[in-house]
Amino acid sequence: MEYETMREHGEPSVPADLHPEIPHPARMYDYYLGGKDNFPADRAAAERALAANPEFRSTARANRAFLHRAVRTAAALGLDQFLDIGTGIPTAGHTHEIAQTVNPRSRVVYVDNDPIVLTHARALMAGTPLGRTAVLQADLRDPADVLAATKAEHLLDFGRPVALVLAAVLHFLRDEDRPYEVVHTLLDALAPGSCLILSHGTADFIPAEVRDRVTGVYDRATAPLVGRSREQVQAFLDGLEVLDPGVVTVPLWRPDGAPGEGAERVSMYGALARKA
């Protein structure tokens, strides 16, 4: 790896393009999940967000568990190609590990715009001997560039179904970033039978003053946090067949066991939908 784990032996020197002095949502998310790949600015910002809404940590964990279940479901439906955009810093049980557990021949392309994510991903994502993984740098806000970079890799066959994974990333796009256009540009490039795995933060269950404090934290980071309503999240799925149970809070999406108390008010919606 290009740098050492950040909490070992103090903070290492890092390339300037990482901007460790500016909080980054991927590194903050890593902190919520108990990871070590974050800088003091990320940890301080994450603690401010947790002070405003202590459920951020449990929401992050619920979202990761949703991702596992949704990827397993897509793989069980026969999809063996995954395009995971805004992957975040990899942890145990990332998309390629889950997909390749179901089908060892699964191929996974990760896309992110953060150099620290790319460094870790390239070091950790070797894949199985049968399946393959690739890690690319591109920005979700430019879906044409994402598609061009992915196709240039010649890892995914766009003539066959692909599972598009947009987990906890679209809420970092402001309305002026045209998030709905971004999603539909990506979906338009995929073959019939492709799936969209989507999770998205919401402020539906959060008091206005808490929402304002949290968004204030992210406004000082490298990306904002835009919580959207259930109806707004549902709009990302227009034209797709939404699989049961529809758009629900992530703990309620095909849970492995009985959901915990308050699962219906977790501030993250999730869904899996299929392209006809």
Side-chain angles (χ1 to χ4, degrees):
M1 296 175 63
E2 295 176 13
Y3 58 92
E4 60 187 320
T5 301
M6 293 179 187
R7 288 188 187 173
E8 294 177 357
H9 314 300
E11 304 297 334
S13 59
V14 295
D17 61 353
L18 289 183
H19 298 293
E21 76 283 0
I22 304 175
H24 191 288
R27 301 193 297 258
M28 293 170 65
Y29 189 77
D30 175 73
Y31 180 75
Y32 299 143
L33 289 172
K36 297 182 179 180
D37 299 313
N38 41 72
F39 293 104
D42 306 312
R43 300 194 283 274
E47 285 294 344
R48 289 194 296 273
L50 287 167
N53 183 3
E55 294 181 0
F56 255 89
R57 181 164 280 128
S58 59
T59 298
R61 291 171 177 165
N63 178 68
R64 180 50 56 93
F66 158 78
L67 176 63
H68 290 181
R69 299 193 302 274
V71 169
R72 286 201 309 265
T73 299
L77 290 172
L79 280 83
D80 59 1
Q81 305 188 104
F82 292 79
L83 176 58
D84 187 337
I85 305 176
T87 175
I89 294 171
T91 59
H94 223 59
T95 297
H96 72 292
E97 294 179 333
I98 303 302
Q100 290 170 357
T101 297
V102 179
N103 181 352
R105 296 185 180 275
S106 294
R107 297 185 170 201
V108 180
V109 172
Y110 292 100
V111 180
D112 207 285
N113 66 348
D114 182 10
I116 199 171
V117 170
L118 301 171
T119 297
H120 272 267
R122 287 169 178 153
L124 297 177
M125 294 177 184
T128 69
L130 297 176
R132 291 180 57 198
T133 62
V135 185
L136 309 177
Q137 184 165 14
D139 195 316
L140 177 61
R141 290 168 293 189
D142 187 352
D145 183 55
V146 170
L147 292 168
T150 304
K151 291 176 179 178
E153 187 69 22
H154 300 296
L155 184 67
L156 303 183
D157 178 359
F158 281 83
R160 298 195 301 110
V162 173
L164 172 64
V165 181
L166 296 172
V169 65
L170 289 169
H171 48 234
F172 298 125
L173 272 60
R174 299 183 190 272
D175 290 343
E176 52 264 37
D177 294 320
R178 311 179 319 281
Y180 296 100
E181 182 180 331
V182 165
V183 172
H184 287 286
T185 297
L186 293 168
L187 289 171
D188 286 346
L190 304 184
S194 295
C195 287
L196 170 61
I197 295 172
L198 171 72
S199 62
H200 195 299
T202 183
D204 282 355
F205 315 113
I206 299 176
E209 63 272 17
V210 173
R211 179 200 62 209
D212 292 344
R213 289 175 62 193
V214 170
T215 55
V217 172
Y218 279 86
D219 283 344
R220 293 188 289 275
T222 60
L225 183 63
V226 183
R228 294 186 169 94
S229 68
R230 184 182 184 279
E231 291 73 21
Q232 290 172 317
V233 174
Q234 178 79 45
F236 285 110
L237 310 176
D238 286 352
L240 303 176
E241 174 197 0
V242 183
L243 277 61
D244 289 338
V247 178
V248 294
T249 59
V250 286
L252 298 182
W253 197 90
R254 303 192 181 190
D256 292 327
E261 183 179 353
E264 74 283 357
R265 296 181 63 82
V266 169
S267 298
M268 185 85 69
Y269 287 118
L272 191 156
R274 185 160 45 193
K275 180 177 179 179

